[in-house]
Amino acid sequence: MKSGLRILLLLCGFCRAAIASHIAGGNIELVALTKPGQFQLSLNLYIDDASKGPEATINPTITVSVFRQRDHKLMGDYVLKLGRRLGLVYANPACARSRGLETSEIRYSSPVQLDPALFDDPAGYYIVWETCCRNQNVTNVDLPQTRGMIYYLSFPALRQNGQYFRNSSPVFLTPNAEYICVDKPFSLAFRATDADGDQLRYSLVTPYNDNIYKPVGFANSPASPPYRVLPWQSGYSANRAITGNPALQISASGVLTVRPDRIGLYAFTVLCEEFRPDAGGALQKIGEVRRDHQILVVDCSPQVPPKPVVAALGPAGPSPVEFCAGSFALLGTESNPAFNYQWRVNGYNLPGETKQTLRATQPGDYTVLKSFATVCTRDSVSDTFVLTLKPSPLAHINAVDTLLCPQKTVALQANTGPGLQYKWALNGADQPGAASALYTASKAGRYTLKLFSEATGCTALDSINIVNDPLQQAVIRATVPGSALCDGNSLSAVVVQSPGSLTYVWQRDGQFIAATPGIPNALAGTYLLTVRDSACSLASAPALVNPRPHPVLDSIPPVCGTIAAPVPMRGTPTGGTFGGLGVAGNLFNPKLVGPGSYTVTYSVVSSAGCRGDTSRVVNVLNVPTPDLGGSQTIIAGGRVVLQGPSGPGLTYAWEPITGLISPTGAAITIQPEQTTTYRLTVSQNGLCPLSAEVLIEVLPGLFVPTAFTPNGDGQNDTWQLTGVGAFPQCVVRVYNRWGEVVLDSPGYREPWDGRYRGQPVEQGVYQFVIRPAPDQPEKRGTVMILDRDF
């Protein structure tokens, strides 16, 4: 079954025979991480550094694409970043140099997230990488410079039977950089490991040819499987990729063996399939990975260096030797500057281990290869020296949690058994008195358990990292920065290093009040906040919300205009601050503001910093000063209008009320019977009264007699007009019965004696018209002149 994910790697923008010929092999890895569907996706390439030219560009990133096996649907694109670059070790450096062999491994890798709900197809998914072109010197491939490469990996559905199906692909170990001597036995460990413990099966298969090559270049576009395979040269096949006796083959444990019969550069592919038992116990294939490789067969000198010998120096003894886990065994061999030495474990070269001694820290089968330092010949290899671990108890720390809460410790429990001794260390420093199986961790850091077995003399190590929970501090503060904790203010929970998902519990005076991040308009009392995340619970220090003072500001009477003196203000408790327009210290000065209504405040701050405020309204009244003018004179029976000032809110009081025809309002009409002084008092609804007076002098009225007797007896001889002296502009006219004017007297300075042009008029009735003054109405009537002798 072909299934998997397909990756396209662009190493160049066009293709010629030389481009990519420096790639000597590679494979893909897909390793599951902690989160479901999260993987570390990697591509390992093996580069022939000696043969690559300037065209061999290695990009800093590659773009990958994911396909579904059933219908080759593109599932998504991903980017892998260029990571490590590692030089591979040749056991015989002299031969490698003489043959121009220099190989390194480069790795592209990035974490990717694949949604299990989308990657649930039973047929699975696949990954490929395609590029051209192969080294033109490859011996066993027909026209290799026109052939490309495909690196392939398949993996199963990530969701099976309603559950997440966790799986990592097989991971090949880094291969030794090797060449093979013709007609000499050769073996090469080509094993893989599997994180899930799946069964691995190895086989040799024909390498894939690319699907994208064109004579003048290539395009990185997917092509549907089945993929083309390389055409072998005559006499070669998947099971005869290197001819010989025996030909190239691979064992069940992943070891390549061959005794080649001809020199050349050979390409081949190792297929590693992974199997897992199903619910019934039957093995089912769940995935595969292919590793491409090429290796050089050369004609080596028949000279062979003497076989080296490996000995255990400490602990000493013949193979096998036991040593304690976490310790090491020191292995040694001879030292001769005429030879090179390369240590191996389980068939793999140990990078940099070319000295006389080896500090082995893991169990395994150890050998040392010996080659001439300056001559390219065959190598010799020592007998295998086996190192095993003593059956000593392993150290194990059991902890319910690795998060350290601020108000809670973490119990670390070591495994127990007879003859075990304990020592605990924090960040490398031994903790005094910490010599029991149980240790209480109260600080964050790396805790190390040293477990000594009296039976084996071995010390086993285990360590655990205890970290502080992100929830480290909870504080109650006023929502507005800088505000004191006072009733009416809002409270907020301030959490240091908050992880984001928190629950809150608020109490006031021991009673639950809310489960929110804050408290609006808090009442006075003692508050306690408890904050919880997924692991820890943290209580704040109690916070006292203080009551605010309740000041009282004495009432302020209305101020009578801007000329009034400043008004002192009084508030309790004392020591507060007065404020508002017109306020200076503790005085309200109406001159600073003018007429109107003004709010003045009184603020008191308690010793806890809580502020209380109260206010009053001060009215500055605008009462105009009345002006009734100068004294006036009227004739009895006459009327006068007196006018006071007008304005909103003014009230008027006139006195006395005698002679008042309209007794209220700004203007009144009076008709006094006698001389009277009138007073007007103006106020704002009775407040701020201002007064003015005016004298109204009442003169007697003009009396006109209706008859007189001008007979010269000294009695009633003239027409006497009583009060006429008050009317200097008076005009008096008298008419006879024919309408003739018999008297026209402006001012009427002399009483009429009944004569007209010096002659007495006849007795009888005469009409008169009197105008006392130009602005007064005329008086009309009749006057009778009686017989002079009567």
Side-chain angles (χ1 to χ4, degrees):
M1 175 184 72
K2 287 184 179 178
S3 58
L5 205 161
R6 182 174 185 178
I7 300 177
L8 305 179
L9 173 61
L10 178 60
L11 292 179
C12 55
F14 61 95
C15 183
R16 296 197 303 270
I19 297 178
S21 62
H22 60 289
I23 300 176
N27 65 277
I28 298 168
E29 295 176 7
L30 188 67
V31 177
L33 302 178
T34 304
K35 183 180 177 181
Q38 190 177 60
F39 294 88
Q40 193 71 27
L41 178 59
S42 307
L43 173 66
N44 300 317
L45 296 179
Y46 299 98
I47 306 300
D48 184 353
D49 292 307
S51 67
K52 70 179 182 181
E55 310 94 334
T57 302
I58 298 176
N59 289 345
T61 61
I62 62 171
T63 300
V64 306
S65 302
V66 181
F67 289 88
R68 185 166 59 195
Q69 196 281 335
R70 172 170 53 85
D71 53 4
H72 313 297
K73 175 185 176 182
L74 176 65
M75 300 298 294
D77 295 327
Y78 303 88
V79 174
L80 305 185
K81 297 179 181 180
L82 180 63
R84 73 184 185 198
R85 182 161 192 152
L86 176 68
L88 302 187
V89 177
Y90 280 90
N92 191 330
C95 282
R97 287 192 297 269
S98 67
R99 304 292 182 175
L101 298 177
E102 183 181 356
T103 307
S104 61
E105 178 189 71
I106 65 171
R107 180 179 179 87
Y108 290 90
S109 186
S110 290
V112 298
Q113 180 67 49
L114 308 179
D115 187 352
L118 298 178
F119 287 83
D120 61 349
D121 192 279
Y125 301 83
Y126 62 89
I127 308 171
V128 294
W129 167 62
E130 302 186 43
T131 190
C132 85
C133 305
R134 293 183 181 268
N135 192 312
Q136 63 183 352
N137 297 319
V138 173
T139 303
N140 56 351
V141 175
D142 184 42
L143 298 175
Q145 68 273 18
T146 66
R147 316 299 180 188
M149 292 163 278
I150 291 179
Y151 297 157
Y152 179 94
L153 177 147
S154 71
F155 68 96
L158 302 185
R159 188 171 183 83
Q160 300 182 18
N161 300 320
Q163 302 291 327
Y164 174 60
F165 189 81
R166 181 183 178 86
N167 182 65
S168 293
S169 70
V171 175
F172 280 103
L173 301 178
T174 300
N176 294 338
E178 295 282 6
Y179 61 90
I180 307 174
C181 292
V182 68
D183 201 29
K184 301 299 179 185
F186 172 81
S187 66
L188 176 64
F190 224 72
R191 302 183 184 94
T193 61
D194 189 272
D196 309 304
D198 296 325
Q199 185 182 115
L200 303 182
R201 297 179 185 177
Y202 302 90
S203 60
L204 294 171
V205 294
T206 301
Y208 280 144
N209 190 7
D210 70 296
N211 280 345
I212 55 179
Y213 175 74
K214 297 177 183 178
V216 295
F218 65 93
N220 282 323
S221 57
S224 300
Y227 294 112
R228 299 186 301 164
V229 294
L230 287 179
W232 294 106
Q233 282 278 15
S234 178
Y236 295 94
S237 65
N239 292 321
R240 286 177 56 84
I242 302 177
T243 60
N245 185 21
L248 183 66
Q249 56 188 315
I250 190 166
S251 68
S253 61
V255 177
L256 291 168
T257 57
V258 67
R259 183 169 181 165
D261 57 7
R262 66 187 73 178
I263 64 174
L265 180 63
Y266 296 91
F268 60 91
T269 296
V270 172
L271 172 65
C272 180
E273 302 170 288
E274 58 177 333
F275 293 81
R276 185 179 298 182
D278 61 14
L283 286 177
Q284 298 292 327
K285 180 178 176 180
I286 61 173
E288 67 178 53
V289 60
R290 300 165 66 102
R291 170 178 274 183
D292 277 22
H293 204 69
Q294 67 183 35
I295 196 164
L296 184 65
V297 177
V298 300
D299 188 7
C300 301
S301 169
Q303 185 180 5
V304 179
K307 182 177 180 179
V309 176
V310 176
L313 305 180
S319 177
V321 166
E322 292 182 333
F323 69 102
C324 297
S327 180
F328 65 91
L330 189 63
L331 301 179
T333 187
E334 68 222 41
S335 177
N336 189 329
F339 299 100
N340 288 322
Y341 299 90
Q342 174 63 56
W343 289 93
R344 285 184 171 182
V345 59
N346 300 325
Y348 286 89
N349 293 342
L350 293 172
E353 298 295 346
T354 59
K355 298 180 181 179
Q356 180 185 5
T357 58
L358 173 69
R359 192 173 184 268
T361 59
Q362 60 180 335
D365 296 340
Y366 286 83
T367 56
V368 65
L369 274 71
K370 183 178 180 181
S371 59
F372 286 102
T374 58
V375 180
C376 181
T377 68
R378 294 175 54 197
D379 303 328
S380 61
V381 62
S382 69
D383 292 334
T384 299
F385 198 100
V386 179
L387 293 180
T388 61
L389 294 178
K390 286 186 178 181
S392 182
L394 297 177
H396 178 67
I397 301 174
N398 183 42
V400 176
D401 200 349
T402 58
L403 283 177
L404 188 65
C405 297
Q407 298 167 344
K408 187 181 72 174
T409 58
V410 174
L412 305 180
Q413 177 66 57
N415 52 303
T416 59
L420 298 180
Q421 297 179 13
Y422 307 90
K423 184 175 288 188
W424 295 88
L426 172 58
N427 297 329
D430 290 341
Q431 299 300 290
S436 65
L438 179 64
Y439 184 80
T440 300
S442 58
K443 297 180 180 179
R446 187 151 195 89
Y447 288 84
T448 301
L449 167 66
K450 300 176 182 178
L451 184 67
F452 177 74
S453 172
E454 296 174 353
T456 63
C458 291
T459 298
L461 301 177
D462 191 20
S463 61
I464 189 171
N465 200 34
I466 302 298
V467 298
N468 284 322
D469 185 83
L471 180 62
Q472 285 295 300
Q473 185 181 12
V475 179
I476 298 175
R477 291 182 184 168
T479 301
V480 178
S483 299
L485 296 182
C486 306
D487 68 281
N489 285 350
S490 296
L491 304 181
S492 295
V494 179
V495 180
V496 177
Q497 296 178 335
S498 167
S501 179
L502 300 173
T503 59
Y504 305 86
V505 173
W506 290 84
Q507 292 178 299
R508 182 181 69 244
D509 298 333
Q511 300 296 317
F512 170 80
I513 58 171
T516 56
I519 302 294
N521 301 318
L523 301 177
T526 300
Y527 285 75
L528 185 67
L529 167 66
T530 302
V531 183
R532 295 186 179 91
D533 63 9
S534 59
C536 295
S537 176
L538 178 62
S540 71
L544 178 63
V545 175
N546 296 278
R548 294 181 182 273
H550 298 283
V552 175
L553 178 60
D554 290 354
S555 61
I556 304 173
V559 180
C560 297
T562 57
I563 62 173
V567 180
M569 297 181 289
R570 296 179 181 84
T572 54
T574 60
T577 303
F578 298 94
L581 294 176
V583 174
N586 67 334
L587 298 176
F588 176 80
N589 190 343
K591 294 179 181 179
L592 300 177
V593 289
S597 295
Y598 302 93
T599 299
V600 295
T601 61
Y602 183 60
S603 302
V604 177
V605 179
S606 69
S607 59
C610 295
R611 174 174 169 168
D613 299 289
T614 189
S615 63
R616 291 277 190 178
V617 174
V618 181
N619 292 307
V620 179
L621 303 180
N622 184 19
V623 178
T625 302
D627 184 5
L628 299 179
S631 299
Q632 298 185 48
T633 301
I634 65 172
I635 303 299
R639 295 183 180 185
V640 173
V641 176
L642 298 181
Q643 177 68 52
S646 61
L650 296 180
T651 56
Y652 306 88
W654 294 88
E655 55 180 349
I657 61 173
T658 347
L660 270 64
I661 295 176
S662 52
T664 60
I668 63 170
T669 302
I670 60 173
Q671 190 178 25
E673 295 180 357
Q674 59 186 4
T675 299
T676 305
T677 298
Y678 285 91
R679 174 188 294 272
L680 168 63
T681 301
V682 181
S683 66
Q684 284 272 5
N685 296 319
L687 302 175
C688 298
L690 293 176
S691 299
E693 295 180 344
V694 64
L695 175 66
I696 304 299
E697 183 180 3
V698 179
L699 299 178
L702 181 64
F703 176 75
V704 180
T706 59
F708 69 99
T709 57
N711 54 14
D713 62 1
Q715 300 290 325
N716 200 21
D717 288 333
T718 60
W719 192 30
Q720 297 285 342
L721 301 182
T722 304
V724 73
F727 303 98
Q729 295 181 336
C730 175
V731 176
V732 180
R733 289 186 178 89
V734 179
Y735 302 88
N736 60 21
R737 59 186 176 181
W738 295 281
E740 294 177 309
V741 177
V742 297
L743 176 68
D744 185 358
S745 177
Y748 203 67
R749 294 177 179 82
E750 293 292 334
W752 185 38
D753 59 2
R755 292 177 178 275
Y756 175 63
R757 296 181 179 177
Q759 298 298 320
V761 296
E762 295 180 356
Q763 66 179 8
V765 178
Y766 290 83
Q767 302 288 330
F768 68 82
V769 176
I770 301 174
R771 183 180 294 275
D775 58 347
Q776 289 193 8
E778 295 177 341
K779 288 180 175 289
R780 294 176 179 271
T782 61
V783 60
M784 181 178 288
I785 298 177
L786 300 176
D787 188 325
R788 296 180 183 273
D789 296 328
F790 176 79

Short mmCIF file of all heavy atoms in Angstrom, two decimals, residues 345-382:
data_model
loop_
_atom_site.label_atom_id
_atom_site.label_comp_id
_atom_site.label_asym_id
_atom_site.label_seq_id
_atom_site.Cartn_x
_atom_site.Cartn_y
_atom_site.Cartn_z
N VAL A 345 29.90 1.68 17.84
CA VAL A 345 28.99 0.98 18.73
C VAL A 345 27.83 0.48 17.88
O VAL A 345 27.26 1.24 17.09
CB VAL A 345 28.50 1.89 19.88
CG1 VAL A 345 27.77 3.11 19.36
CG2 VAL A 345 27.59 1.10 20.83
N ASN A 346 27.55 -0.79 18.00
CA ASN A 346 26.47 -1.43 17.26
C ASN A 346 26.60 -1.20 15.75
O ASN A 346 25.61 -1.07 15.03
CB ASN A 346 25.11 -0.94 17.74
CG ASN A 346 24.88 -1.21 19.21
OD1 ASN A 346 25.33 -2.25 19.74
ND2 ASN A 346 24.20 -0.30 19.89
N GLY A 347 27.85 -1.14 15.28
CA GLY A 347 28.11 -1.00 13.85
C GLY A 347 28.15 0.43 13.36
O GLY A 347 28.41 0.66 12.18
N TYR A 348 27.91 1.45 14.23
CA TYR A 348 27.89 2.85 13.81
C TYR A 348 29.12 3.57 14.33
O TYR A 348 29.49 3.43 15.50
CB TYR A 348 26.62 3.55 14.31
CG TYR A 348 25.39 3.15 13.55
CD1 TYR A 348 24.63 2.06 13.96
CD2 TYR A 348 25.01 3.84 12.42
CE1 TYR A 348 23.51 1.67 13.25
CE2 TYR A 348 23.88 3.47 11.71
CZ TYR A 348 23.13 2.38 12.12
OH TYR A 348 22.02 2.01 11.42
N ASN A 349 29.73 4.35 13.43
CA ASN A 349 30.88 5.15 13.83
C ASN A 349 30.46 6.16 14.89
O ASN A 349 29.39 6.77 14.81
CB ASN A 349 31.46 5.90 12.64
CG ASN A 349 32.09 4.97 11.62
OD1 ASN A 349 32.39 3.81 11.91
ND2 ASN A 349 32.29 5.47 10.40
N LEU A 350 31.33 6.36 15.87
CA LEU A 350 31.11 7.38 16.89
C LEU A 350 31.88 8.63 16.47
O LEU A 350 33.11 8.62 16.44
CB LEU A 350 31.59 6.89 18.25
CG LEU A 350 30.79 5.72 18.83
CD1 LEU A 350 31.46 5.17 20.08
CD2 LEU A 350 29.37 6.15 19.16
N PRO A 351 31.19 9.73 16.09
CA PRO A 351 31.88 10.92 15.60
C PRO A 351 32.91 11.44 16.59
O PRO A 351 32.64 11.60 17.78
CB PRO A 351 30.74 11.93 15.40
CG PRO A 351 29.52 11.09 15.22
CD PRO A 351 29.72 9.89 16.09
N GLY A 352 34.11 11.68 16.08
CA GLY A 352 35.18 12.26 16.89
C GLY A 352 35.90 11.29 17.80
O GLY A 352 36.88 11.66 18.44
N GLU A 353 35.44 10.02 17.88
CA GLU A 353 36.07 9.06 18.79
C GLU A 353 37.17 8.32 18.02
O GLU A 353 36.95 7.24 17.47
CB GLU A 353 35.02 8.10 19.36
CG GLU A 353 33.96 8.78 20.20
CD GLU A 353 34.53 9.41 21.46
OE1 GLU A 353 35.68 9.09 21.83
OE2 GLU A 353 33.82 10.22 22.09
N THR A 354 38.33 8.93 17.96
CA THR A 354 39.46 8.36 17.21
C THR A 354 40.71 8.23 18.07
O THR A 354 41.81 8.01 17.55
CB THR A 354 39.77 9.26 16.00
OG1 THR A 354 40.10 10.58 16.47
CG2 THR A 354 38.58 9.34 15.05
N LYS A 355 40.53 8.34 19.39
CA LYS A 355 41.68 8.27 20.28
C LYS A 355 41.86 6.86 20.83
O LYS A 355 41.07 5.95 20.56
CB LYS A 355 41.52 9.28 21.40
CG LYS A 355 41.47 10.72 20.91
CD LYS A 355 41.32 11.69 22.05
CE LYS A 355 41.24 13.13 21.56
NZ LYS A 355 41.06 14.10 22.65
N GLN A 356 42.88 6.72 21.69
CA GLN A 356 43.22 5.39 22.23
C GLN A 356 42.14 4.88 23.15
O GLN A 356 41.90 3.67 23.24
CB GLN A 356 44.56 5.47 22.96
CG GLN A 356 45.01 4.15 23.57
CD GLN A 356 46.28 4.31 24.39
OE1 GLN A 356 46.78 5.42 24.57
NE2 GLN A 356 46.81 3.22 24.88
N THR A 357 41.48 5.77 23.86
CA THR A 357 40.48 5.35 24.83
C THR A 357 39.11 5.91 24.45
O THR A 357 39.00 6.92 23.74
CB THR A 357 40.84 5.83 26.24
OG1 THR A 357 40.96 7.25 26.24
CG2 THR A 357 42.15 5.20 26.71
N LEU A 358 38.11 5.22 24.97
CA LEU A 358 36.71 5.62 24.72
C LEU A 358 35.96 5.59 26.03
O LEU A 358 36.01 4.60 26.77
CB LEU A 358 36.04 4.67 23.71
CG LEU A 358 34.53 4.89 23.52
CD1 LEU A 358 34.27 6.21 22.80
CD2 LEU A 358 33.90 3.74 22.75
N ARG A 359 35.25 6.66 26.31
CA ARG A 359 34.40 6.74 27.50
C ARG A 359 32.99 6.35 27.07
O ARG A 359 32.22 7.16 26.55
CB ARG A 359 34.42 8.15 28.06
CG ARG A 359 33.81 8.34 29.44
CD ARG A 359 34.08 9.77 29.89
NE ARG A 359 33.62 10.02 31.24
CZ ARG A 359 32.43 10.49 31.57
NH1 ARG A 359 31.57 10.75 30.60
NH2 ARG A 359 32.10 10.70 32.82
N ALA A 360 32.64 5.09 27.28
CA ALA A 360 31.35 4.55 26.82
C ALA A 360 30.30 4.78 27.90
O ALA A 360 30.46 4.35 29.04
CB ALA A 360 31.48 3.08 26.50
N THR A 361 29.21 5.43 27.50
CA THR A 361 28.15 5.75 28.46
C THR A 361 26.88 4.95 28.23
O THR A 361 25.93 5.10 29.00
CB THR A 361 27.80 7.25 28.38
OG1 THR A 361 27.39 7.56 27.05
CG2 THR A 361 29.01 8.10 28.75
N GLN A 362 26.86 4.10 27.19
CA GLN A 362 25.67 3.30 26.94
C GLN A 362 26.07 1.86 26.67
O GLN A 362 27.19 1.59 26.20
CB GLN A 362 24.92 3.87 25.73
CG GLN A 362 25.72 3.89 24.44
CD GLN A 362 24.93 4.46 23.26
OE1 GLN A 362 23.71 4.40 23.27
NE2 GLN A 362 25.64 4.96 22.27
N PRO A 363 25.19 0.93 26.99
CA PRO A 363 25.52 -0.46 26.69
C PRO A 363 25.49 -0.70 25.19
O PRO A 363 24.88 0.06 24.43
CB PRO A 363 24.41 -1.24 27.40
CG PRO A 363 23.26 -0.28 27.46
CD PRO A 363 23.87 1.07 27.62
N GLY A 364 26.19 -1.76 24.74
CA GLY A 364 26.19 -2.07 23.32
C GLY A 364 27.40 -2.88 22.93
O GLY A 364 28.24 -3.28 23.77
N ASP A 365 27.49 -3.15 21.62
CA ASP A 365 28.61 -3.91 21.06
C ASP A 365 29.63 -2.92 20.50
O ASP A 365 29.36 -2.22 19.51
CB ASP A 365 28.11 -4.84 19.94
CG ASP A 365 27.14 -5.88 20.47
OD1 ASP A 365 27.14 -6.13 21.69
OD2 ASP A 365 26.37 -6.43 19.67
N TYR A 366 30.79 -2.87 21.13
CA TYR A 366 31.82 -1.90 20.77
C TYR A 366 32.93 -2.57 19.99
O TYR A 366 33.36 -3.69 20.32
CB TYR A 366 32.40 -1.25 22.03
CG TYR A 366 31.46 -0.24 22.67
CD1 TYR A 366 30.45 -0.66 23.53
CD2 TYR A 366 31.56 1.11 22.37
CE1 TYR A 366 29.58 0.25 24.10
CE2 TYR A 366 30.68 2.03 22.94
CZ TYR A 366 29.69 1.60 23.80
OH TYR A 366 28.83 2.49 24.36
N THR A 367 33.38 -1.91 18.93
CA THR A 367 34.54 -2.33 18.15
C THR A 367 35.37 -1.11 17.82
O THR A 367 34.90 0.03 17.94
CB THR A 367 34.12 -3.01 16.84
OG1 THR A 367 33.28 -2.12 16.10
CG2 THR A 367 33.39 -4.32 17.10
N VAL A 368 36.61 -1.36 17.39
CA VAL A 368 37.45 -0.29 16.91
C VAL A 368 38.01 -0.70 15.56
O VAL A 368 38.43 -1.83 15.37
CB VAL A 368 38.58 0.04 17.92
CG1 VAL A 368 39.54 -1.11 18.10
CG2 VAL A 368 39.31 1.31 17.50
N LEU A 369 37.93 0.21 14.57
CA LEU A 369 38.50 -0.03 13.24
C LEU A 369 39.88 0.58 13.20
O LEU A 369 40.12 1.67 13.72
CB LEU A 369 37.63 0.61 12.15
CG LEU A 369 36.46 -0.23 11.62
CD1 LEU A 369 35.37 -0.35 12.65
CD2 LEU A 369 35.92 0.39 10.34
N LYS A 370 40.77 -0.14 12.54
CA LYS A 370 42.17 0.29 12.47
C LYS A 370 42.56 0.38 11.00
O LYS A 370 42.29 -0.51 10.21
CB LYS A 370 43.06 -0.73 13.19
CG LYS A 370 44.54 -0.40 13.26
CD LYS A 370 45.27 -1.49 14.04
CE LYS A 370 46.75 -1.22 14.15
NZ LYS A 370 47.45 -2.32 14.91
N SER A 371 43.15 1.53 10.63
CA SER A 371 43.58 1.72 9.24
C SER A 371 44.91 2.46 9.24
O SER A 371 45.27 3.13 10.21
CB SER A 371 42.53 2.52 8.46
OG SER A 371 42.33 3.79 9.06
N PHE A 372 45.64 2.28 8.11
CA PHE A 372 46.91 3.00 7.99
C PHE A 372 46.64 4.50 7.91
O PHE A 372 45.69 4.95 7.27
CB PHE A 372 47.67 2.53 6.76
CG PHE A 372 48.29 1.17 6.93
CD1 PHE A 372 47.68 0.06 6.36
CD2 PHE A 372 49.46 1.02 7.65
CE1 PHE A 372 48.25 -1.20 6.51
CE2 PHE A 372 50.03 -0.25 7.80
CZ PHE A 372 49.42 -1.36 7.24
N ALA A 373 47.51 5.29 8.54
CA ALA A 373 47.32 6.73 8.58
C ALA A 373 47.60 7.40 7.26
O ALA A 373 47.02 8.43 6.94
CB ALA A 373 48.21 7.33 9.67
N THR A 374 48.46 6.80 6.42
CA THR A 374 48.87 7.48 5.18
C THR A 374 48.66 6.63 3.95
O THR A 374 48.88 7.11 2.83
CB THR A 374 50.36 7.87 5.28
OG1 THR A 374 51.14 6.68 5.50
CG2 THR A 374 50.59 8.86 6.41
N VAL A 375 48.24 5.38 4.09
CA VAL A 375 48.09 4.48 2.97
C VAL A 375 46.65 4.01 2.91
O VAL A 375 46.05 3.67 3.92
CB VAL A 375 49.04 3.27 3.10
CG1 VAL A 375 48.86 2.33 1.90
CG2 VAL A 375 50.47 3.72 3.22
N CYS A 376 46.06 3.99 1.67
CA CYS A 376 44.68 3.54 1.51
C CYS A 376 44.68 2.03 1.34
O CYS A 376 45.03 1.51 0.27
CB CYS A 376 44.04 4.22 0.31
SG CYS A 376 42.32 3.74 0.07
N THR A 377 44.30 1.33 2.39
CA THR A 377 44.24 -0.13 2.37
C THR A 377 42.94 -0.56 2.98
O THR A 377 42.09 0.25 3.36
CB THR A 377 45.40 -0.73 3.18
OG1 THR A 377 45.19 -0.43 4.57
CG2 THR A 377 46.74 -0.17 2.73
N ARG A 378 42.80 -1.84 3.07
CA ARG A 378 41.66 -2.38 3.82
C ARG A 378 41.82 -2.06 5.30
O ARG A 378 42.92 -1.81 5.79
CB ARG A 378 41.58 -3.88 3.62
CG ARG A 378 41.24 -4.30 2.20
CD ARG A 378 41.30 -5.82 2.08
NE ARG A 378 40.47 -6.46 3.07
CZ ARG A 378 40.58 -7.76 3.42
NH1 ARG A 378 41.47 -8.52 2.84
NH2 ARG A 378 39.78 -8.27 4.33
N ASP A 379 40.66 -2.04 6.00
CA ASP A 379 40.67 -1.83 7.45
C ASP A 379 40.69 -3.18 8.15
O ASP A 379 40.31 -4.22 7.59
CB ASP A 379 39.41 -1.08 7.89
CG ASP A 379 39.28 0.25 7.17
OD1 ASP A 379 40.31 0.86 6.85
OD2 ASP A 379 38.11 0.66 6.94
N SER A 380 41.09 -3.12 9.39
CA SER A 380 40.92 -4.29 10.25
C SER A 380 40.04 -3.86 11.41
O SER A 380 40.01 -2.69 11.79
CB SER A 380 42.27 -4.80 10.76
OG SER A 380 42.93 -3.80 11.52
N VAL A 381 39.30 -4.77 11.95
CA VAL A 381 38.36 -4.47 13.01
C VAL A 381 38.60 -5.41 14.18
O VAL A 381 38.94 -6.59 14.00
CB VAL A 381 36.90 -4.56 12.52
CG1 VAL A 381 36.56 -5.96 12.05
CG2 VAL A 381 35.93 -4.08 13.59
N SER A 382 38.44 -4.88 15.38
CA SER A 382 38.65 -5.68 16.59
C SER A 382 37.49 -6.63 16.80
O SER A 382 36.44 -6.53 16.16
CB SER A 382 38.78 -4.76 17.80
OG SER A 382 37.53 -4.15 18.08
#
